[in-house]
Amino acid sequence: MNFKALGSVLALGSVFGSVSPASAGTCWFENYRGSLSPSYCSTNQRVNNNGHTVLDVVDHQGTKLTFVFWDDNTVELVSNGGVTNGIWWTDSQGDRRIETSGGEMAIRL
């Protein structure tokens, strides 16, 4: 998943069919300068049937992403029917940081 081109390449609908209304949040996406730029997003945190934390995110352009966070600090990013693997951690501000081969982002919960 390339976060630099996130707004123009993702379109996801079926994953969010039964998601409850999202709360407001702030996201930071990797920009073309190699740093993170803030952006409004909505988030919905839930626990799946396996007991894992799942975060549904909709960015300011309507792009929908689902993150499944595993106990070993790995994450699965589900988008457009595909899955991208990465790592996650909590930064010093308490934001959830996600890094994949395509880029990095942060989400304030």
Side-chain angles (χ1 to χ4, degrees), residues 2-3 10-11 20 25 30-32 34-35 38-39 46-47 49 53 56-57 61 68 75-76 78 80 84 88 104 109:
N2 184 343
F3 291 122
L10 298 178
S20 62
E30 187 173 352
N31 59 35
Y32 292 101
S35 60
S39 175
R46 57 189 168 91
V47 177
N49 291 336
T53 299
D56 299 307
V57 176
Q61 296 178 329
V68 180
V75 61
E76 290 181 353
V78 181
N80 204 21
T84 301
W88 71 272
E104 186 176 342
L109 303 175

Side-chain angles (χ1 to χ4, degrees), residues 43-57 66-78 88 90 96 98 107 109:
T43 60
N44 181 62
Q45 186 171 334
R46 57 189 168 91
V47 177
N48 68 11
N49 291 336
N50 297 327
H52 297 102
T53 299
V54 177
L55 186 61
D56 299 307
V57 176
T66 295
F67 299 90
V68 180
F69 297 96
W70 299 85
D71 296 335
D72 63 356
N73 287 78
T74 58
V75 61
E76 290 181 353
L77 166 57
V78 181
W88 71 272
T90 303
R96 186 72 54 106
I98 299 140
I107 303 169
L109 303 175

Side-chain angles (χ1 to χ4, degrees), residues 78-92:
V78 181
S79 63
N80 204 21
V83 177
T84 301
N85 295 307
I87 59 170
W88 71 272
W89 68 95
T90 303
D91 68 16
S92 60

